[in-house]
């Protein structure tokens, strides 16, 4: 689900290799089949199947999916060219969506209906992709942890040796740094990254859920993760994970400032889509009230459409103020973010 930092710089070398890897994926569905939407998605959640089945039940349009890493999918679409069966491309981070934009894979779409449903900061300004769910990068505090409540606080010297966060190769962290660049400039973002490195409790390792587990186990007292990982731990069947999550306090950062950093899963229409109308109908369903509730219920992501009610764990988290930076900037500033993280020694 994420592209490594080194892959970004070695793209000219890796793309042919990724294309070769894509060749071993199952063959795609036919390019011109009626009543079908061909979905290339980097989301690997079983819960999304319920979403696709609901769309098919409502419209009669079958959803044929190809799941792989976003880089592999983009290489496959480019290799398939005009004969590609791909109608819709979905990625789990604005950084990946920008990669699709940069490669010319997506077609700009003008849709008053989509624009009315999705706030402007959660869709590409030229209609190249549309956010379909939100994820929030939150702070998790163990008992006795410093009362850090802002992203800036993560770099404060009072947190020396206490911070747990995954590597700089993780696109979620790259997008967080991109948001800092957009809000405060490159110099302050660089200073922040240096402070984060100074405060690390250990060499970055594992995923977001591993940061939460480590905080609960006392390896550090403050962790950074996307909100849905802690939600899954709280609602899941794993007793150890549930007990670990219950030890932690979830903090939506910067509530007295710009608000918590928000990223998106987003969908775009592929430029060569053989079933363009079906692609638009599919994206419209994803942001319908029904589609938005399914995202929230099944995967603990937040709806992008205002007014869709929450239940369960998400309702328990309560409301929060969010940064309204346009998510497309997270992708356009990715390269600068990676450079700054490299210079700070964030591994």
């Amino acid at each position: 689900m994420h592209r490594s930092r080194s892959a970004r710089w070695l793209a000219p070398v890796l793309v042919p290799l990724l294309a070769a890897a894509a060749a071993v994926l199952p063959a795609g569905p036919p390019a011109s089949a009626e009543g079908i939407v061909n979905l290339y998605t980097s989301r690997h959640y079983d819960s999304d199947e319920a979403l696709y089945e609901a769309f098919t039940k409502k419209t009669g349009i079958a959803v044929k999916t190809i799941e792989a890493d976003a880089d592999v999918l983009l290489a496959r679409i480019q290799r398939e060219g005009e004969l590609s069966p791909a109608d819709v491309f979905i990625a789990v981070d604005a950084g990946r969506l920008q990669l699709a934009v940069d490669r010319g894979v997506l077609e700009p779409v003008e849709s008053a209906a989509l624009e009315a449903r999705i706030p402007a900061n959660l869709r590409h300004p030229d209609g190249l992709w549309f956010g379909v769910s939100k994820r929030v990068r939150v702070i998790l505090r163990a008992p006795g942890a410093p009362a850090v409540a802002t992203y800036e606080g993560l770099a404060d010297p009072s947190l020396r040796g206490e911070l747990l966060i995954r590597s700089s190769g993780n696109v979620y962290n790259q997008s967080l740094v991109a948001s800092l660049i957009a809000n405060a400039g490159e110099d302050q973002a660089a200073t922040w990254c240096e402070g984060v490195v100074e405060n690390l409790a250990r060499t970055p390792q594992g995923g977001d859920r591993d940061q939460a587990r480590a905080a609960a186990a006392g390896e550090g007292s403050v962790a950074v993760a996307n909100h849905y990982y802690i939600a899954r731990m709280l609602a899941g069947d794993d007793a150890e994970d549930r007990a670990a999550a219950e030890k932690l306090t979830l903090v939506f950062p910067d509530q007295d400032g710009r608000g918590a950093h928000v990223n998106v899963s987003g969908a775009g229409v592929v430029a060569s889509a053989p079933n363009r109308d079906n692609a638009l109908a599919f994206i419209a369903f994803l942001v319908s009230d029904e589609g938005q509730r399914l995202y929230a219920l099944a995967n603990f992501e937040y709806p992008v459409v205002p007014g869709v009610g929450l239940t369960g764990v998400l309702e328990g988290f309560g409301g929060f103020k969010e940064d309204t930076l346009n998510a497309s900037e997270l992708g356009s500033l990715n390269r600068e973010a990676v450079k700054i993280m490299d210079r700070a020694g964030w591994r």
Side-chain angles (χ1 to χ4, degrees), residues 1-267:
M1 292 171 57
H2 66 269
R3 178 168 50 95
S4 71
R5 176 182 51 191
S6 58
R8 184 174 182 82
W9 303 112
L10 295 174
V13 176
L14 290 177
V15 166
L17 297 176
L18 292 170
V24 304
L25 291 172
S32 60
E34 295 182 356
I36 286 178
V37 61
N38 300 314
L39 171 62
Y40 283 34
T41 176
S42 64
R43 292 175 61 95
H44 308 302
Y45 311 128
D46 292 340
S47 55
D48 283 1
E49 289 301 322
L51 198 61
Y52 307 153
E53 290 171 5
F55 171 72
T56 299
K57 184 177 181 180
K58 193 176 190 69
T59 65
I61 299 170
V63 181
K64 303 296 184 184
T65 60
I66 298 292
E67 294 181 359
D69 182 88
D71 300 273
V72 174
L73 293 174
L74 290 174
R76 176 169 177 154
I77 292 171
Q78 291 182 296
R79 176 172 53 83
E80 293 170 337
E82 290 299 316
L83 296 178
S84 176
D87 295 309
V88 176
F89 171 76
I90 288 182
V92 298
D93 183 280
R96 295 291 186 275
L97 292 165
Q98 182 62 36
L99 195 61
V101 172
D102 291 344
R103 295 186 184 184
V105 164
L106 303 179
E107 173 185 275
V109 169
E110 290 187 13
S111 169
L114 291 176
E115 291 171 8
R117 295 286 290 173
I118 307 169
N121 64 304
L122 302 176
R123 49 184 163 85
H124 191 279
D126 298 325
L128 287 162
W129 54 257
F130 298 88
V132 296
S133 68
K134 294 189 298 190
R135 54 269 307 276
V136 186
R137 204 103 180 108
V138 299
I139 294 171
L140 304 173
R141 293 198 310 237
V148 55
T150 66
Y151 297 113
E152 285 74 9
L154 297 173
D156 191 277
S158 64
L159 212 62
R160 194 63 47 87
E162 297 292 337
L163 180 60
L164 296 152
I165 190 167
R166 61 201 292 180
S167 77
S168 62
N170 170 248
V171 73
Y172 306 149
N173 286 339
Q174 293 170 6
S175 289
L176 175 59
V177 174
S179 77
L180 296 173
I181 295 172
N183 280 300
E186 290 192 16
D187 289 344
Q188 288 195 39
T191 300
W192 183 83
C193 287
E194 291 167 0
V196 163
V197 172
E198 289 291 326
N199 286 346
L200 291 175
R202 63 181 185 181
T203 301
Q205 56 192 269
D208 280 8
R209 199 185 303 242
D210 295 309
Q211 312 312 313
R213 291 170 179 149
E219 292 187 53
S221 62
V222 174
V224 178
N226 282 350
H227 78 278
Y228 51 83
Y229 286 101
I230 197 74
R232 291 176 191 166
M233 292 171 71
L234 288 168
D237 296 328
D238 188 308
E240 290 187 7
D241 265 3
R242 194 165 55 251
E246 288 172 349
K247 289 182 180 178
L248 305 174
T249 299
L250 183 147
V251 178
F252 291 108
D254 291 301
Q255 294 305 283
D256 294 327
R258 63 183 178 276
H261 166 60
V262 169
N263 208 325
V264 294
S265 274

Side-chain angles (χ1 to χ4, degrees), residues 94 98 129 178-179 182 325-334:
Q98 182 62 36
W129 54 257
S179 77
L325 176 73
N326 191 294
S328 67
E329 293 198 47
L330 306 179
S332 62
L333 290 169
N334 177 275

Side-chain angles (χ1 to χ4, degrees), residues 51 54 117 132-133 284-297 303 308:
L51 198 61
R117 295 286 290 173
V132 296
S133 68
F285 177 77
L286 296 182
V287 296
S288 67
D289 283 357
E290 181 179 2
Q292 292 289 283
R293 279 193 293 269
L294 284 171
Y295 267 127
L297 287 171
V308 176

